[in-house]
Amino acid sequence: MRFRYTFYLLGAVLFCACSETKYVPEGDYLLDKVKVKSDPPTKGINPSDMKAYVRQVGNSRWFSAVKIPLATYSLSGRDTTKWINRMLRSIGEAPVLYDSASTRRSMADLQMQLVNMGYLRASVDAMTKSKKKKVDVTYFLHPGQPYYIRHVDYVVQDSAIASHLRLDLEQNRQLKQGMLFSVANLDGERKRITQLLNNLGYYRFNKEYISFEADSVGKQDIDVVLILRKQRLSNGQEAPHQRYQVRNVVFESGDREDSVIHLRQGVLRRNTYVKEGDYYSADDLQNTYNHFGRLGAVRYTNITWKEQPDSNLLDCQIQVSTNKPSTISFQPEGTNTAGDLGFAASLTYQNRNLFRGSENLSIELRGAYEAIKGLEGYSNHNFLEYSLGTKLTFPSFIAPFLSSGFRRRVNATSQVSLLYDLQNRPEFHRRVFSVGWRYRWNDPRHHDTYRLDLLDLNYISMPWISDTFKKEYLDNTTSRNAILRYNYENLFIMKFGVGYAYNNGIIAIKANAETAGNLLGLMAKSFGFHRDNDGRYTFLDVAYAQYLKVDLDVTRTINFDYYNQLVFHAGLGIAYPYGNSTILPFEKRYFSGGANSVRGWSVRSLGPGKYISRDGRIDFINQTGDMKLDFNVEYRAHLFWKLGMALFADAGNIWTLRNYDEQPGGQFKFTQFLKQMAVSYGLGFRFNFDYFVLRFDMGMKAINPAYEEGDDRFPIVHPKLSRDFAFHFAVGLPF
């Protein structure tokens, strides 16, 4: 069977290779492979990066191997009046025909880039190799020796600017002795000085007023002179650069049908960094755009400047266009929980400008229904859920003791939320009431984002549990399932949390920590709170949870080209119950398997440790833990249109920190955890619609830690589709 599949795969690859030149005209060649090599290999020159300066590259390849888009195009017939031929050509890719003129221009561009990098005597050769109707092109870079800066002089012809730059050039100058003589270094210093002067009031200054003179004084040494010239007037005369000051700041409505700005003057002024009497600053201008742009009530902002005749004064005009404040939306959805089908719908009211300060009020009413199969001995087999939630978000810090400088430097939101959730299952009824007060902020100049959950209260009530469920699980002394019983009791959670995120497009880091019950624990000992029958302190006659939880996720992306990337991910989470708790609340426990974890297992079906499922009806409780470890690698390739593909491998599991009788083999031990790592592999498809990504992942088990040996232990050697396959549908990328 395996040989048959291999034969089919080889046949498909050979067919793709044979059909590539179907639409290559006689006398032309298909550009097959393009390579860039450095001769000799030189530190600081990456041939992969230099390939970006090649004007003509071959057809795109899936996973850098097979040119499926070209093969798809070649499947089309020559009769373009047929819809099937037009469709195949539209989703495929026409052959790239070799162009010798593009090769010559690419050689010139590569040489110019080497010169810009400091290799002034660089040269580039190209070699072509043709076979049948295909041609390969290899570019050879001969960089030679790099040139370095020996000495730098700054000549500032404008005396006023010279006085402003004197201290800066002593402390912050970027051109220094021993640096590579490259365009990037020279232009970087030119841009830095231009930005500095733009922020000091020089409204009309641009980098074209800065030039360089270079003199070669040795084999690879160059003396550099940076010259900052005066401005040239219309009559050809030179004059000092003008330093401009802001005279007036005026706000106007940008809506043609409404001349009123529906924002308070205090809000307009607080988000405007351009101030009357200050010198012009490009940073203040950009900060004003940034802060108005994050206001939900604002549709767009346009800022214009008007010079006053015969003066150095500027008038600033800020046009603000606002959105309609209120919207109502209805969203239906289908649900599928472990094979139980249902539907849900939500009705949301949103006001983006509640108090005319871009405060966002959101009220959501949600209802859900699900038909539950496989239950016996219960009065009904339906699941109903109703929830009412509201959030009020302020576009700034609502907190005392914060300096005005810090408030203006960061983009911040403050949010208060309320939620009431009612769940009626055949086995039990559950009620959740939540109250939260949270802060989010980031500095737009950096890639960091911060979160502070100052207050998060959750009251969980179980007003009714069916007699059948009590008899089979909760009151059954033989089951001894403490985890199950704990999660069907009334519980109070009062937590405090912090979070940090960093993302520069290549490395992404997410760290979160939360703790619950510490303040109540201090109060319980100080004021002698009542204890329940299990010896736990209670607050308002309800036991409270006490735990510490820490999570860390790291993602690294390697971009090979526009079509291919390799992504690595590692995740670690640990939660420890203590004090008033010996077991974590169910909502805070970890689970493994599913679309964002080890994808060879369905959600909540892996672990903890080498635990083996015993009762599918309650293993959603037993297959949870206090610790989680995930390692993932995914090769992503763009195919055509909106479609992408991914090959992935996952490893991970969950464990408990304490030994629970109902979870044998689930406790974490340093000597055994590597043997208990589950491994899976698979294939996925993604539809990228820009605003969201639909994802279909098909995973297969490779190593199953629930078994010690045999075929069940290593399904990668003896795969069985009915046992080892898992299909996942999700929205968004897994990491």
Side-chain angles (χ1 to χ4, degrees):
M1 181 66 69
R2 269 184 262 168
F3 290 111
R4 184 190 304 172
Y5 291 147
T6 303
F7 176 77
Y8 289 157
L9 180 61
L10 289 175
V13 172
L14 289 173
F15 171 76
C16 293
C18 294
S19 64
E20 288 178 352
T21 58
K22 177 180 177 180
Y23 285 106
V24 176
E26 286 297 327
D28 287 329
Y29 290 89
L30 175 72
L31 181 58
D32 190 29
K33 296 178 182 178
V34 176
K35 298 179 181 179
V36 178
K37 297 182 179 180
S38 179
D39 182 24
T42 303
K43 183 179 179 180
I45 297 178
N46 187 338
S48 297
D49 295 338
M50 296 296 291
K51 196 172 180 180
Y53 298 93
V54 175
R55 290 176 175 250
Q56 190 182 39
V57 295
N59 289 94
S60 60
R61 300 169 183 260
W62 286 12
F63 301 104
S64 301
V66 186
K67 292 182 278 191
I68 298 295
L70 174 58
T72 304
Y73 185 94
S74 300
L75 285 174
S76 66
R78 299 185 183 276
D79 186 358
T80 56
T81 62
K82 295 182 178 181
W83 70 269
I84 184 66
N85 293 332
R86 294 197 304 272
M87 184 190 72
L88 289 172
R89 292 192 179 197
S90 64
I91 65 176
E93 189 177 273
V96 177
L97 303 180
Y98 171 69
D99 179 21
S100 59
S102 295
T103 300
R104 291 191 295 272
R105 289 195 292 268
S106 297
M107 292 170 58
D109 291 345
L110 288 168
Q111 182 181 14
M112 180 58 66
Q113 178 58 22
L114 289 172
V115 171
N116 291 341
M117 294 171 64
Y119 299 89
L120 303 186
R121 298 185 182 275
S123 62
V124 178
D125 295 331
M127 182 181 73
T128 59
K129 183 178 181 181
S130 59
K131 184 177 181 181
K132 295 183 179 179
K133 299 187 72 174
K134 296 182 181 180
V135 64
D136 297 339
V137 181
T138 303
Y139 294 92
F140 293 96
L141 311 179
H142 308 289
Q145 295 297 319
Y147 282 70
Y148 295 93
I149 296 175
R150 190 190 72 164
H151 181 72
V152 183
D153 279 330
Y154 287 77
V155 177
V156 182
Q157 297 177 353
D158 189 314
S159 59
I161 290 181
S163 64
H164 290 307
L165 294 181
R166 185 173 293 110
L167 182 61
D168 174 80
L169 294 180
E170 291 176 0
Q171 299 178 351
N172 303 316
R173 60 193 299 175
Q174 299 298 306
L175 294 181
K176 298 178 182 178
Q177 181 181 357
M179 289 183 63
L180 193 67
F181 179 74
S182 68
V183 170
N185 288 335
L186 299 179
D187 199 48
E189 178 71 341
R190 188 163 70 156
K191 289 179 179 178
R192 188 189 71 84
I193 294 175
T194 300
Q195 183 179 11
L196 175 64
L197 294 177
N198 287 158
N199 290 328
L200 290 175
Y202 291 93
Y203 168 64
R204 289 196 165 277
F205 189 89
N206 61 71
K207 66 178 184 178
E208 302 305 321
Y209 288 108
I210 300 176
S211 60
F212 294 94
E213 291 183 356
D215 183 21
S216 177
V217 293
K219 289 185 177 180
Q220 277 85 39
D221 290 331
I222 292 182
D223 287 345
V224 177
V225 179
L226 182 148
I227 303 173
L228 192 154
R229 294 177 283 104
K230 294 181 179 181
Q231 68 169 324
R232 185 171 295 276
L233 303 178
S234 57
N235 58 9
Q237 298 295 318
E238 290 187 341
H241 292 275
Q242 191 83 354
R243 193 181 185 195
Y244 288 86
Q245 198 169 12
V246 180
R247 186 183 71 164
N248 294 318
V249 178
V250 180
F251 298 96
E252 293 183 355
S253 173
D255 298 314
R256 294 181 179 180
E257 64 278 5
D258 192 350
S259 60
V260 178
I261 302 177
H262 298 282
L263 290 168
R264 301 192 307 271
Q265 279 292 317
V267 175
L268 295 173
R269 293 290 179 182
R270 185 168 62 246
N271 288 279
T272 301
Y273 284 68
V274 178
K275 300 298 180 183
E276 296 171 352
D278 288 352
Y279 285 104
Y280 167 83
S281 169
D283 283 352
D284 288 346
L285 174 63
Q286 188 58 51
N287 283 331
T288 302
Y289 271 118
N290 291 341
H291 279 70
F292 273 101
R294 69 183 183 85
L295 297 180
V298 175
R299 184 163 71 245
Y300 71 84
T301 307
N302 183 43
I303 303 176
T304 58
W305 299 89
K306 185 177 180 181
E307 296 182 50
Q308 298 305 305
D310 302 324
S311 73
N312 65 338
L313 300 178
L314 291 173
D315 284 346
C316 179
Q317 184 182 62
I318 302 177
Q319 289 185 335
V320 180
S321 176
T322 55
N323 291 305
K324 293 182 179 180
S326 300
T327 58
I328 297 178
S329 61
F330 175 77
Q331 182 177 356
E333 59 183 276
T335 63
N336 184 346
T337 305
D340 297 330
L341 300 178
F343 64 88
S346 60
L347 182 67
T348 304
Y349 167 79
Q350 190 175 49
N351 190 317
R352 298 189 182 94
N353 199 19
L354 184 63
F355 305 121
R356 297 185 66 212
S358 196
E359 301 87 359
N360 192 326
L361 173 67
S362 175
I363 301 175
E364 180 182 76
L365 176 64
R366 186 178 187 274
Y369 167 83
E370 202 168 83
I372 301 176
K373 304 186 300 291
L375 288 179
E376 297 180 2
Y378 294 91
S379 59
N380 69 77
H381 293 171
N382 299 327
F383 166 70
L384 292 173
E385 180 180 12
Y386 302 98
S387 66
L388 177 64
T390 180
K391 296 178 182 178
L392 178 58
T393 304
F394 300 89
S396 61
F397 271 113
I398 307 299
F401 313 119
L402 292 176
S403 67
S404 58
F406 177 75
R407 291 175 187 267
R408 294 177 61 81
R409 189 171 64 251
V410 302
N411 294 334
T413 60
S414 306
Q415 183 187 89
V416 60
S417 62
L418 296 171
L419 172 69
Y420 179 73
D421 185 69
L422 178 151
Q423 302 172 12
N424 288 347
R425 288 185 60 91
E427 309 98 317
F428 57 85
H429 291 176
R430 193 168 185 260
R431 310 288 184 263
V432 179
F433 179 72
S434 301
V435 179
W437 179 259
R438 303 175 180 88
Y439 296 101
R440 304 286 187 275
W441 72 95
N442 72 287
D443 190 330
R445 298 170 298 180
H446 301 94
H447 303 289
D448 310 273
T449 302
Y450 303 89
R451 173 183 59 85
L452 173 63
D453 296 338
L454 188 63
L455 181 66
D456 195 331
L457 305 179
N458 293 269
Y459 173 64
I460 303 169
S461 172
M462 306 292 298
W464 176 82
I465 300 177
S466 74
D467 293 336
T468 303
F469 192 76
K470 284 183 179 180
K471 182 179 178 180
E472 290 187 358
Y473 298 109
L474 303 185
D475 297 337
N476 188 348
T477 57
T478 60
S479 71
R480 296 180 299 163
N481 199 323
I483 297 176
L484 188 68
R485 289 198 302 272
Y486 179 74
N487 285 283
Y488 288 92
E489 298 174 353
N490 295 344
L491 186 65
F492 185 76
I493 303 174
M494 179 179 179
K495 78 177 184 72
F496 169 85
V498 294
Y500 169 78
Y502 173 88
N503 192 339
N504 65 359
I506 299 175
I507 297 177
I509 300 173
K510 290 192 294 185
N512 295 283
E514 64 180 66
T515 181
N518 293 330
L519 180 60
L520 291 175
L522 292 174
M523 295 172 60
K525 295 179 181 178
S526 302
F527 298 102
F529 282 11
H530 175 263
R531 291 177 181 264
D532 61 13
N533 295 333
D534 295 324
R536 298 173 299 181
Y537 287 110
T538 63
F539 178 71
L540 301 177
D541 293 328
V542 178
Y544 61 86
Q546 197 167 4
Y547 64 86
L548 174 65
K549 185 177 182 181
V550 179
D551 295 281
L552 177 64
D553 281 271
V554 180
T555 303
R556 173 73 164 89
T557 302
I558 300 175
N559 294 303
F560 297 114
D561 52 42
Y562 174 78
Y563 299 100
N564 300 276
Q565 61 179 195
L566 186 64
V567 185
F568 298 91
H569 169 261
L572 171 66
I574 300 177
Y576 183 72
Y578 63 93
N580 212 45
S581 299
T582 57
I583 300 172
L584 280 172
F586 177 73
E587 291 80 1
K588 302 302 177 181
R589 296 178 69 82
Y590 296 102
F591 64 88
S592 193
N596 299 322
S597 184
V598 187
R599 284 165 278 186
W601 280 258
S602 57
V603 65
R604 300 182 189 275
S605 64
L606 172 60
K610 59 180 180 179
Y611 172 82
I612 300 177
S613 173
R614 289 173 169 76
D615 188 340
R617 290 173 295 177
I618 63 169
D619 269 342
F620 67 93
I621 288 286
N622 286 334
Q623 296 200 266
T624 58
D626 309 321
M627 176 180 175
K628 181 175 182 178
L629 190 61
D630 274 333
F631 295 100
N632 315 86
V633 59
E634 189 168 283
Y635 191 104
R636 298 170 183 168
H638 173 75
L639 303 184
F640 54 82
W641 185 54
K642 304 290 185 179
L643 181 62
M645 183 188 290
L647 298 175
F648 59 81
D650 307 316
N653 206 334
I654 55 172
W655 294 268
T656 62
L657 297 182
R658 290 187 170 95
N659 185 29
Y660 299 108
D661 293 334
E662 52 274 9
Q663 294 176 305
Q667 187 179 20
F668 178 83
K669 295 181 180 179
F670 278 106
T671 57
Q672 299 181 14
F673 87 95
L674 287 178
K675 297 180 181 179
Q676 296 173 0
M677 291 286 286
V679 180
S680 69
Y681 61 96
L683 171 70
F685 292 94
R686 289 92 164 88
F687 288 90
N688 188 343
F689 296 101
D690 297 331
Y691 293 103
F692 64 95
V693 177
L694 293 181
R695 175 162 55 96
F696 303 89
D697 285 341
M698 296 165 284
M700 289 287 291
K701 296 180 179 66
I703 301 177
N704 192 339
Y707 302 95
E708 297 289 343
E709 57 186 13
D711 294 352
D712 291 334
R713 168 70 176 175
F714 298 103
I716 189 172
V717 180
H718 302 282
K720 185 178 179 182
L721 202 63
S722 60
R723 178 194 62 188
D724 304 322
F725 177 77
F727 175 78
H728 307 283
F729 167 72
V731 177
L733 296 175
F735 41 82

